[in-house]
Amino acid sequence: MLLTDEEKRILNGAEGPGKQKAMEMLYALGVTFDAERLIPIKRAHVALSGQEGDTYWCELLVEGGATCAVPPTTNPYWDTDYLTRFFDVTKEELDLANRTGDAYRKIGAILTYHCAPGVCSNVPFFGEHIAFSESSATPYVNGALGARSNRESSISALAAAVIGKTPYYGYHIDENRYGDLLIEVDADLNECYDWGILGHCVGDIAGSLNPVLVFKNKVNPSQEDFLYFSAEAATSGAVAMFHMVGITPEAPTLEAAFGGKKIPAPEAIITTKTLKDREAKLTEAKGDINLVMLGCPHYTYNQLLDVARLFSGRKVSHNTSFWILAESGAVELAERSHLRQQLELLGVRMVGNTCIDEPCWKSFEGHLGLTDSPKCAYYRERRGQPFAIRRLSECVEAAIKGRID
Ligand code: F3S
């Protein structure tokens, strides 16, 4: 990979060990993927996880004097002030959370703690070269918005933010953004949950290839629909780029989606039955629940309104907790409009800045939880809590009864 004189200086340590480490990371990545050079980025998003390895990397760069040339937004970890009122955590868990916040503050990140930056908080324009980590955010910004990002790790995204550049390979290049396989969709898609299940099917079929979807019926996905689709396509598969013909910006036509290549025969036809079968496969568990957890990815204000409408004044069962993880701006709006207070009277709590995959939730482990997000179920199950998956209206009804029938 060719470096400019300025980039070579940084690689040789002329601007301190922090920037040198970041440049070493980008150089190694570029060489690995045969990138010809680095290109400037306009934005970055770092999937800081509050886990030791990510925090160590950020501290290493900070101790070496690095700050960000392009301040990145950040993923959530957990709201230590608010959640320690409800849950016990160890001193080590709290220390790690505080260390994480300190390190990213010092390096100059924008502490949004939000995992859907493409929806708000860090929204790229069409064609912008960016470095986004967070598996659900990358397909969203590439497919739905037409920005250009590889599937960055939190490590490489932070290195890119420090240097302000990323290696020119993968989804930055036109040829790698075109469709690889065709999927026909002839299914009822009524709410974001359905789009999530569709994404889960598509991820399974596409793996890490670029699926092109054609819809038999006219569809008009919302930002929440795109977000659910993206999150699940990156959970069952590793989709980083997708096209929806006549809908997403790089697919005005089927021909454009495939970049003029021969259009392949459909790899699959996804029907309403396919979605129902997938749902049945994902949601076998039934019985008493101790937790309903929504907001993976983070809920928007509109989704908070949906929850209030569905409860319609009824209360959460005394043996069930109901938590919604939301973008902190949405939580603030809910506070101002008294939506938060109304929901709390029903037993529904919301929290910003927080991921489902954090130690603060461990007191629920060992019992059955319920969510509208297969991604949430996937991560929580790895932590020892089985989760059932249902659409939002069914989550609300189950919370009122304290069980899933
Ligand atoms: Fe967000 Fe954590 Fe889910 S980052 S998408 S709440 S796994």
Side-chain angles (χ1 to χ4, degrees):
M1 185 170 77
L2 293 175
L3 296 182
T4 64
D5 289 345
E6 174 64 10
E7 290 159 0
K8 282 183 198 154
R9 275 186 64 251
I10 296 172
L11 188 62
N12 291 332
E15 297 201 11
K19 278 180 92 170
Q20 184 181 26
K21 280 268 169 256
M23 185 59 94
E24 283 171 357
M25 170 59 65
L26 298 182
Y27 184 68
L29 200 58
V31 169
T32 303
F33 286 99
D34 287 332
E36 60 187 44
R37 62 192 162 95
L38 296 174
I39 53 166
I41 53 163
K42 286 273 174 66
R43 298 164 187 277
H45 177 79
V46 178
L48 115 175
S49 62
Q51 290 167 19
E52 186 66 51
D54 291 346
T55 303
Y56 164 79
W57 172 242
C58 188
E59 287 174 338
L60 190 69
L61 299 188
V62 167
E63 281 160 18
T67 54
C68 291
V70 175
T73 48
T74 65
N75 250 27
Y77 60 111
W78 55 285
D79 184 331
T80 50
D81 288 342
Y82 185 58
L83 290 171
T84 46
R85 292 188 215 163
F86 300 92
F87 305 118
D88 290 332
V89 290
T90 63
K91 181 175 176 315
E92 289 71 29
E93 288 162 345
L94 191 56
D95 285 350
L96 179 57
N98 289 333
R99 262 177 59 204
T100 301
D102 281 350
Y104 282 86
R105 206 171 284 119
K106 284 181 187 154
I107 208 161
I110 307 168
L111 301 178
T112 49
Y113 298 133
H114 177 212
C115 51
V119 169
C120 63
S121 75
N122 195 358
V123 183
F125 286 104
F126 180 82
E128 273 187 352
H129 292 281
I130 62 177
F132 271 33
S133 50
E134 168 48 46
S135 62
S136 56
T138 313
Y140 183 96
V141 295
N142 276 324
L145 303 183
R148 296 183 172 221
S149 178
N150 284 321
R151 268 170 68 91
E152 302 289 351
S153 67
S154 54
I155 308 283
S156 64
L158 187 60
V162 164
I163 301 297
K165 295 180 181 178
T166 194
Y168 185 54
Y169 74 97
Y171 296 99
H172 293 284
I173 298 172
D174 285 351
E175 298 85 79
N176 300 325
R177 300 177 62 80
Y178 298 135
D180 296 313
L181 73 157
L182 178 62
I183 297 175
E184 290 182 0
V185 183
D186 181 9
D188 297 330
L189 298 163
N190 299 315
E191 54 188 288
C192 56
Y193 176 83
D194 300 319
W195 285 88
I197 301 295
L198 174 65
H200 207 274
C201 296
V202 168
D204 234 6
I205 298 162
S208 59
L209 298 176
N210 300 344
V212 176
L213 279 67
V214 284
F215 294 86
K216 182 147 186 279
N217 303 317
K218 186 166 169 42
V219 290
N220 193 12
S222 66
Q223 58 182 10
E224 289 87 358
D225 297 336
F226 274 127
L227 193 56
Y228 270 53
F229 175 86
S230 301
E232 301 311 336
T235 296
S236 63
V239 172
M241 174 68 190
F242 62 86
H243 299 280
M244 295 182 184
V245 175
I247 299 167
T248 54
E250 292 172 62
T253 63
L254 195 52
E255 291 71 23
F258 281 100
K261 293 183 291 188
K262 185 170 180 290
I263 296 167
E267 189 80 23
I269 300 174
I270 295 178
T271 63
T272 302
K273 179 170 183 316
T274 319
L275 300 187
K276 283 201 186 322
D277 289 348
R278 172 64 50 141
E279 189 183 13
K281 196 169 142 197
L282 287 169
T283 64
E284 274 173 7
K286 290 184 177 152
D288 292 343
I289 50 171
N290 72 345
L291 171 67
V292 177
M293 179 171 266
L294 308 175
C296 172
H298 277 176
Y299 259 30
T300 62
Y301 184 75
N302 284 341
Q303 290 173 292
L304 298 178
L305 285 175
D306 287 342
V307 174
R309 182 177 51 75
L310 288 164
F311 265 98
S312 177
R314 296 171 298 163
K315 291 194 172 168
V316 175
S317 165
H318 67 278
N319 59 5
T320 303
S321 297
F322 198 114
W323 281 93
I324 310 175
L325 282 51
E327 188 267 323
S328 57
V331 175
E332 170 69 26
L333 278 179
E335 176 92 29
R336 279 189 222 166
S337 58
H338 289 188
L339 179 63
R340 181 179 192 166
Q341 294 84 330
Q342 284 168 33
L343 283 169
E344 280 188 0
L345 287 175
L346 307 179
V348 175
R349 294 199 180 273
M350 65 183 75
V351 60
N353 304 339
T354 301
C355 171
I356 53 100
D357 193 28
E358 293 294 341
C360 50
W361 306 113
K362 63 179 182 269
S363 61
F364 295 105
E365 288 167 9
H367 299 277
L368 181 61
L370 176 63
T371 179
D372 65 345
S373 158
K375 180 175 182 180
C376 172
Y378 173 76
Y379 279 103
R380 290 306 307 158
E381 281 172 8
R382 290 191 327 173
R383 296 257 185 193
Q385 182 166 30
F387 259 81
I389 305 158
R390 295 283 191 282
R391 66 185 60 246
L392 176 59
S393 56
E394 293 174 61
C395 288
V396 168
E397 296 307 318
I400 292 164
K401 282 194 256 175
R403 59 177 286 109
I404 318 164
D405 296 321

